Every structure is written in structure tokens, then in C-alpha cells.
Amino acid sequence: IIKCTSEDGNYWGESWRKYYLRDCALVSRRWAVIANTLLWKEVSLYTYRNKKEFSFYRHITTPGYVCGKYIRKLIIEKPKLWPICIGKILSACPGIVELKIKSYRPYKYKGEINLLRHITKVLPNLQKLNLNYSESYFKADEIQQLIESKKIPYIKATRKCDICKHSFERYDSSKAKKWICLRSNCPNYKL
């Protein structure tokens, strides 16, 4: 029944699918276990002008709140949260297999934490890590050390190009396994 309900929701879009799954989770405890694994499997936080990520942070870090154990894929784009807050979110979601933190530029840092080291420590099952356009927080040498450690099989990241200084270099472990500049007139450029 839950599978059919979630497939019906796919016809109308992702938001309707989650709406149907949420209703299934409210039927009984048995249904909640099944529906929550589907409902919380992938969480995407896109912050532009809303406070969605702050609400998510407040709920997921509340003691006794268990939905974090169901999250397998977490996408955070343009987060405004402090690094310590992202660290607490990741600690509440130990089953994450795929993590994307895109365009991370925190305004202020509160509570010193090495977020990259924290990620490898609290997410033992992590297979994919995407840190594109987050070079202002994640330092290039820290990312390089993580790449060389081979703790995470699939890593995507960007950094400022050392040669041309005006563009980004991209690293994608599924392709070239080296840093490639995105600017066409750079000697480090490759299609």
C-alpha cells in the first residue's frame, strides 16, 4: 500500500509524494517505520531567502528526534549555518552515504570545528562527497589530504586555479582524478 501510494505521488511531483508518505507514517507505528525510511531517504536544503535550514537544524538536533537515522542523501546548497551547526546535523544523521555541501560561505564562524575531519569521523558509510564552490571554507590542502587518504571513494570539489588565478579548478574522482581548470586559455584546461 505504501509503495503504491508513493508511486501515485510521483505522478503529481515530489512534494505530493512526500505528502502521501507523511500520511502513511501517521497510520500506525508499523507503517511509520516503512514510510519514514522512504520519506527521509533524501533531504535537500536550498537556502535562498527562507529559514528552512534553521528549522531543519532545530528539529534534527532535538534529543529523541529519530528521523536523522533514515537520511541516506543530504544536499545542502548555499547554507548559512555555522560549521558547528552543520557538524551537529551530520552527527544526528550517521547513515549518510551521499553528502553535498555546495557554495558554502559562512558569514561568521562560531565554535571552531574542522568540518572536513568531522565529516570523515561521524559518517563512516560516506561514499560520495561533493564540495563544489565551497573553497572559501574548505581549504585546498585539506581537500587534497582527504583525496590522498582515499577514505571516501567519490569526491567532487573546486578550488581557485594556481596557474591562471582567475578561474576554478575542478576535481572529480570518477573522471580524471586530477585538478582541471575550467578556463579554456589556461594550460591546466582540459575538455
Side-chain angles (χ1 to χ4, degrees), residues 13-185:
E14 185 65 25
S15 61
W16 281 99
R17 179 179 172 272
K18 291 197 176 218
Y19 177 77
Y20 289 140
L21 285 171
R22 190 197 67 193
D23 284 350
C24 289
L26 297 173
V27 171
S28 70
R29 288 181 188 206
R30 283 185 178 173
W31 280 39
V33 171
I34 298 166
N36 279 333
T37 57
L38 298 170
L39 184 63
W40 288 94
K41 186 176 183 179
E42 182 177 327
V43 175
S44 299
L45 300 173
Y46 301 99
T47 302
Y48 296 101
R49 290 192 177 139
N50 63 15
K51 305 288 186 198
K52 184 178 180 182
E53 69 180 1
F54 293 105
S55 177
F56 177 76
Y57 166 73
R58 190 175 62 248
H59 289 295
I60 206 77
T61 58
T62 301
Y65 197 75
V66 296
C67 292
K69 70 180 180 181
Y70 300 116
I71 298 173
R72 298 295 172 256
K73 181 177 182 180
L74 180 62
I75 299 170
I76 309 172
E77 289 200 19
K78 297 186 179 181
K80 305 263 189 280
L81 293 169
W82 294 321
I84 191 83
C85 297
I86 291 178
K88 288 180 182 179
I89 289 172
L90 297 177
S91 296
C93 309
I96 292 176
V97 175
E98 186 173 343
L99 176 64
K100 179 179 183 179
I101 302 175
K102 184 177 179 184
S103 301
Y104 186 41
R105 291 174 181 84
Y107 297 122
K108 298 177 183 175
Y109 299 172
K110 183 176 182 183
E112 286 300 315
I113 180 175
N114 184 329
L115 192 53
L116 210 50
R117 194 174 306 138
H118 187 73
I119 287 169
T120 58
K121 186 171 130 184
V122 299
L123 301 178
N125 302 324
L126 190 63
Q127 297 294 311
K128 292 184 176 183
L129 178 63
N130 186 335
L131 301 173
N132 281 343
Y133 304 106
S134 298
E135 69 285 336
S136 65
Y137 178 74
F138 296 106
K139 304 301 176 213
D141 57 337
E142 293 175 353
I143 294 173
Q144 189 62 40
Q145 287 176 0
L146 182 63
I147 290 168
E148 291 169 2
S149 74
K150 298 182 180 179
K151 288 182 180 178
I152 302 171
Y154 178 78
I155 298 175
K156 283 177 91 173
T158 53
R159 68 180 183 189
K160 293 283 184 181
C161 182
D162 292 335
I163 299 170
C164 66
K165 305 286 185 204
H166 300 289
S167 184
F168 290 102
E169 288 180 316
R170 177 175 286 148
Y171 180 86
D172 188 344
S173 62
S174 68
K175 294 181 182 175
K177 294 195 178 191
K178 66 178 185 175
W179 292 95
I180 298 172
C181 187
L182 301 175
R183 191 172 186 176
S184 60
N185 61 354

